[in-house]
Amino acid sequence: MKTVFITGAAVNTGFGIAQKFASEGWNVIITSRREDTALVAAAKLRAAYPGVTIMSYGLEMVLPDNTVNESRITAIFDELEEKKVNVDCLVLCAANLGIHQQIFKNPLSDFISVINTNIVANYYIIESCARRMKKCRDGSIVFINSNTAYRAIPDRIAYSTSKAGQLGMMRALALDLGGYNIRVNAVLPGMIKTDRWENNYNNCRYALSNYTPLHDIAEFSDIADAVWYFAVYARNTTGAELCVDGGNMIQLYPVVPEK
Ligand SMILES: NC(=O)c1ccc[n+]([C@@H]2O[C@H](COP(=O)([O-])OP(=O)(O)OC[C@H]3O[C@@H](n4cnc5c(N)ncnc54)[C@H](OP(=O)(O)O)[C@@H]3O)[C@@H](O)[C@H]2O)c1
């Protein structure tokens, strides 16, 4: 039985990805910053998919002083090795969204926190996980990236920077890990129907990103299916980006229907 490790998997897209893999018979390891939140999500998943093993960990990727929580990340992967659990697919979904960060208002520490979470901590998680994948000469690593790696939105400089940086890291890792048969790819969602979509500070239901060529934004299952493709079917694909945004990125500008 195969195992997927998903960060930020207690709710929203991460939980949707966990559901997809569990429904396909994979064992699932989920993380959340809070141990109790991870436990609740794991219990929910266990109840829905009794035939698979669900594990959970509390993982604060970046500590309040903005340092990466190396010892916790190391401890988790050491424990998995001790338990003889091989991670076949690693999904990096947790993200510091860096919302409302303004260039002239926010302290540098806010910028650093986003970069350290979305790039540096992910790098360390990958290093810890790929060490074990390397021994098996098999593995798939999937970033949940964003189309904001290419298209900016207001007051999200650190977030956009981190997502663009993730794509550079993804390609470099794909090159360096390819010889071990470890594939590294990225899914680029546009807007996803989280509760933020309904209750967003920007009233996103009316945002122009709703006007996609496909006239819809992504469900959790759309993102989960893209991750599943990379994990299971994409034997000869690495360093690739799969955009799941209803075609939003291909437009010069959104075509808004006449009222
Ligand atoms: N929602 C969208 O429209 C959208 C669009 C494009 C890309 N994405 C990307 O899709 C992924 C999932 O996003 P989502 O909107 O579904 O979920 P989300 O719930 O907003 O974020 C995923 C998880 O990341 C963890 N997280 C949040 N802030 C964090 C921080 N400061 N440090 C460490 N972890 C933190 C949270 O888990 P815990 O609280 O359990 O620790 C959270 O549940 C993210 O990588 C996001 O960048 C989302």
Side-chain angles (χ1 to χ4, degrees):
M1 214 181 237
K2 295 211 169 202
T3 300
V4 62
F5 184 114
I6 311 164
T7 65
V11 295
N12 291 336
T13 311
F15 191 72
I17 297 166
Q19 285 176 306
K20 169 70 184 172
F21 279 76
S23 74
E24 298 284 353
W26 281 47
N27 296 328
V28 180
I29 303 163
I30 67 177
T31 77
S32 163
R33 278 168 295 179
R34 291 173 55 118
E35 185 102 41
D36 53 349
T37 311
L39 280 170
V40 170
K44 234 162 84 179
L45 214 54
R46 222 170 270 128
Y49 305 100
V52 299
T53 302
I54 312 290
M55 297 172 71
S56 66
Y57 290 101
L59 170 58
E60 184 114 36
M61 293 162 66
V62 170
L63 298 167
D65 67 358
N66 262 340
T67 55
V68 171
N69 197 350
E70 284 178 67
S71 58
R72 179 67 182 140
I73 295 167
T74 302
I76 290 173
F77 283 95
D78 283 351
E79 187 183 310
L80 290 174
E81 190 159 40
E82 224 170 83
K83 291 183 171 164
K84 301 202 181 330
V85 177
N86 284 326
V87 175
D88 301 281
C89 178
L90 169 65
V91 183
L92 302 151
C93 184
N96 183 329
L97 303 180
I99 287 173
H100 277 323
Q101 289 193 7
Q102 298 183 0
I103 182 162
F104 300 123
K105 285 199 177 152
N106 285 73
L108 182 62
S109 55
D110 287 348
F111 189 93
I112 292 172
S113 175
V114 174
I115 300 299
N116 282 0
T117 305
N118 299 356
I119 297 202
V120 189
N122 274 337
Y123 173 77
Y124 194 66
I125 292 170
I126 291 167
E127 193 214 287
S128 307
C129 187
R131 246 175 230 292
R132 279 82 179 181
M133 287 176 166
K134 179 176 164 227
K135 287 187 197 157
C136 305
R137 297 195 74 77
D138 193 21
S140 169
I141 297 170
V142 184
F143 285 94
I144 306 303
N145 190 259
S146 169
N147 61 2
T148 56
Y150 290 102
R151 303 274 190 269
I153 47 178
D155 299 338
R156 304 284 290 277
I157 299 172
Y159 180 74
S160 270
T161 305
S162 73
K163 292 294 184 179
Q166 268 185 6
L167 293 182
M169 183 161 74
M170 183 267 294
R171 286 187 288 271
L173 285 164
L175 188 61
D176 287 2
L177 298 178
Y180 306 108
N181 196 31
I182 300 171
R183 297 171 294 108
V184 191
N185 295 290
V187 176
L188 280 65
M191 292 299 295
I192 308 170
K193 287 177 200 165
T194 61
D195 47 3
R196 282 199 310 282
W197 174 256
E198 291 300 331
N199 310 312
N200 198 281
Y201 64 97
N202 263 345
N203 210 357
C204 270
R205 267 174 302 164
Y206 308 111
L208 294 183
S209 51
N210 208 10
Y211 299 109
T212 67
L214 291 177
H215 300 292
D216 200 6
I217 62 164
E219 311 270 356
F220 297 142
S221 59
D222 297 316
I223 309 303
D225 286 345
V227 176
W228 181 249
Y229 167 72
F230 280 135
V232 172
Y233 293 112
R235 189 194 66 84
N236 197 231
T237 301
T238 197
E241 300 169 18
L242 178 50
C243 205
V244 184
D245 71 344
N248 204 24
M249 280 251 289
I250 59 164
Q251 303 179 109
L252 184 58
Y253 50 80
V255 180
V256 182
E258 271 184 57
K259 287 248 166 31

